[in-house]
């Protein structure tokens, strides 16, 4: 018996349309890197294309070629990490140029798919830093013939609306783009940036997590639809006496005679070991059943004493739209973020697309 990951493509399309409606600027892309946050880049990209999305972003060229095969010609597929030295995406992929060396390398290629220029305004990760921006402003000839489609920057603190770096980055980006690439369309807002207001709108927004149901407005009601449901089968039910322990480390002891269901999912499947203890639970026939013992590599145990109908073969809901089981809820329990919960989802699930 195998666990099942159900991906609601209609919810993903609806989320994209909602972001289009909310963005005060121009087009809205779909970030489908990391296999569309673990949900399947081919199916997700096709669904977004059907909804009208014409811009896709990936991290690596290999991801870009996969998405190109899924959506066909007519869409821009940008590679955020750029191309390796000597690599060329031809007319299929659009590289993001993250430094002066990238500009020089791209100038030597036939710029058949154009390029995106990345200006760092406060992330200190990829993109031209302040020194490189000053050099480029002083030597605009470096951009000759590059066919820039967009100039972009990336917000570091968009999920904290009051953080002063947001306004600082927007101002830095506006000034640098006007100085270095006047007239070139701009791209700024990520998922949370779309909700920061008109000052963060641009010609192309680049949402990722919000497409998949992660809350882009932490601390407020999630405006996005949930897109995933994870269910795993019960392999065995064990009746144990009071005082018996369950799992590695004997970390949980039954306070009463109990029925323990062993479920076919564990940390090798992305159901994190950090879920152990601390009030973790799943749903069985609509009823909460507490996680007991430690999550192991392939198996997790739940106390189903209060669900007399529980039987081997029954399906336990580990992730879904119920309160406490969304990716954001599970992330809070594990001390991480919803992005990690989704991207950690393993390859052993049977994926079903709705």
């Amino acid at each position: 018996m195998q666990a099942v990951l159900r991906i609601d493509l209609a919810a993903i399309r609806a989320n994209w349309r909602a972001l289009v409606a909310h963005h005060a600027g121009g087009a809205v892309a779909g970030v489908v890197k990391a296999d569309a946050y673990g949900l399947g880049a081919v199916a997700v990209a096709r669904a977004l294309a059907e909804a009208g999305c014409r811009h896709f972003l990936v991290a690596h060229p290999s991801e870009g070629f996969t998405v190109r095969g899924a959506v066909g010609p007519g869409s821009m597929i940008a590679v955020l990490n750029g191309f390796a030295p000597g690599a060329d995406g031809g007319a299929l992929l659009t590289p993001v140029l993250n430094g002066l060396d990238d500009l020089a390398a791209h100038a030597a290629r036939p710029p058949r798919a154009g390029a995106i220029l990345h200006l760092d305004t406060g992330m200190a990760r990829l993109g031209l830093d302040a020194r490189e921006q000053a050099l480029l402003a002083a030597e605009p000839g470096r951009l000759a013939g590059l066919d820039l489609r967009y100039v972009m920057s990336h917000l570091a603190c968009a999920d904290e609306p009051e953080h002063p770096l947001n306004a600082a980055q927007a101002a830095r980006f506006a000034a640098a783009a006007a100085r270095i690439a006047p007239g070139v369309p701009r791209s700024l807002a990520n998922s949370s940036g779309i909700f920061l207001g008109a000052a963060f709108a641009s010609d192309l927004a680049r949402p990722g997590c919000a497409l998949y149901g992660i809350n882009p407005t932490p601390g407020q009601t999630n405006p996005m639809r949930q897109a995933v449901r994870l269910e795993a089968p019960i392999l065995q039910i064990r009746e144990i006496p009071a005082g018996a322990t369950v799992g590695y480390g004997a970390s949980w002891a039954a306070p009463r005679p109990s029925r323990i269901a062993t479920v076919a999912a564990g940390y090798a499947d992305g159901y994190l070991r950090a879920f152990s203890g601390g009030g973790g639970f799943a749903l069985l026939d609509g009823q909460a059943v507490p996680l007991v013992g430690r999550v192991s590599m392939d198996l997790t145990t739940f106390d189903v004493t209060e669900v007399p109908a529980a039987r081997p073969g029954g399906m336990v809901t580990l992730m879904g739209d119920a309160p406490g089981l969304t990716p954001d809820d599970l992330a809070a329990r594990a001390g991480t973020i919803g992005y990690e919960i989704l991207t950690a989802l393993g390859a052993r699930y049977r994926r079903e697309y709705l």
Side-chain angles (χ1 to χ4, degrees):
M1 290 185 284
Q2 188 178 16
V4 181
L5 180 65
R6 293 185 172 87
I7 297 100
D8 188 343
L9 297 176
I12 293 173
R13 285 193 293 265
N15 286 339
W16 181 79
R17 293 188 183 106
L19 293 165
V20 170
H22 200 86
H23 183 228
V28 173
V31 178
V32 292
K33 62 182 180 176
D35 199 27
Y37 286 48
L39 304 187
V42 169
V44 168
R46 284 177 178 162
L48 290 173
E50 290 169 2
C53 182
R54 295 295 178 263
H55 302 78
F56 299 89
L57 293 104
V58 297
H60 303 290
S62 59
E63 296 177 332
F65 288 121
T66 297
V67 173
R68 173 60 73 201
V71 303
S75 297
M76 185 193 80
I77 300 176
V79 180
L80 291 165
N81 291 5
F83 294 164
D88 183 5
L92 299 177
L93 306 178
T94 301
V96 174
L97 308 178
N98 290 303
L100 292 180
D101 290 344
D102 288 351
L103 268 69
H106 189 66
R109 304 184 189 106
R112 290 164 291 179
I116 296 174
L117 179 64
H118 185 182
L119 306 178
D120 178 34
T121 58
M123 180 73 85
R125 203 171 57 172
L126 292 178
L128 277 72
D129 61 20
R131 180 190 63 83
E132 290 180 307
Q133 292 174 32
L135 288 171
L136 191 56
E139 302 177 30
R142 291 175 184 254
L143 295 176
L146 288 185
D147 186 21
L148 292 182
R149 303 296 173 84
Y150 293 94
V151 58
M152 65 168 278
S153 193
H154 194 69
L155 296 169
C157 303
D159 57 349
E160 302 176 49
E162 304 305 320
H163 200 293
L165 186 56
N166 292 321
Q169 282 193 266
R172 291 171 192 166
F173 179 55
R179 186 172 69 253
I180 294 169
V184 176
R186 301 175 185 178
S187 176
L188 179 60
N190 53 12
S191 289
S192 294
I194 289 174
F195 293 85
L196 291 179
F200 295 84
S202 61
D203 299 290
L204 180 67
R206 309 185 310 274
C209 72
L211 295 172
Y212 310 113
I214 294 173
N215 190 356
T217 58
Q220 302 180 40
T221 300
N222 190 352
M224 317 315 299
R225 284 174 53 177
Q226 291 302 312
V228 296
R229 182 181 179 89
L230 175 60
E231 297 179 333
I234 297 174
L235 300 178
Q236 188 180 82
I237 293 180
R238 180 72 56 85
E239 296 191 6
I240 62 174
T245 59
V246 173
Y248 285 115
S251 61
W252 184 83
R256 59 180 179 178
S258 302
R259 300 177 75 228
I260 305 300
T262 299
V263 169
Y267 58 74
D269 305 293
Y271 193 71
L272 305 183
R273 190 172 184 271
F275 296 151
S276 306
F281 71 97
L283 290 179
L284 178 59
D285 293 337
Q287 187 168 339
V289 290
L291 191 163
V292 296
R294 294 178 183 170
V295 177
S296 56
M297 184 179 292
D298 313 297
L299 304 168
T300 304
T301 45
F302 295 89
D303 183 351
V304 297
T305 308
E306 300 299 326
V307 188
R311 294 291 184 273
M315 299 298 284
V316 171
T317 300
L318 303 176
M319 184 186 306
D321 58 4
L325 291 184
T326 69
D328 287 317
D329 293 332
L330 294 177
R333 185 169 298 124
T336 184
I337 55 177
Y339 302 68
E340 183 177 6
I341 298 299
L342 292 185
T343 58
L345 293 170
R348 297 193 296 190
Y349 299 125
R350 185 176 82 248
R351 281 166 166 76
E352 294 183 357
Y353 292 94
L354 311 180

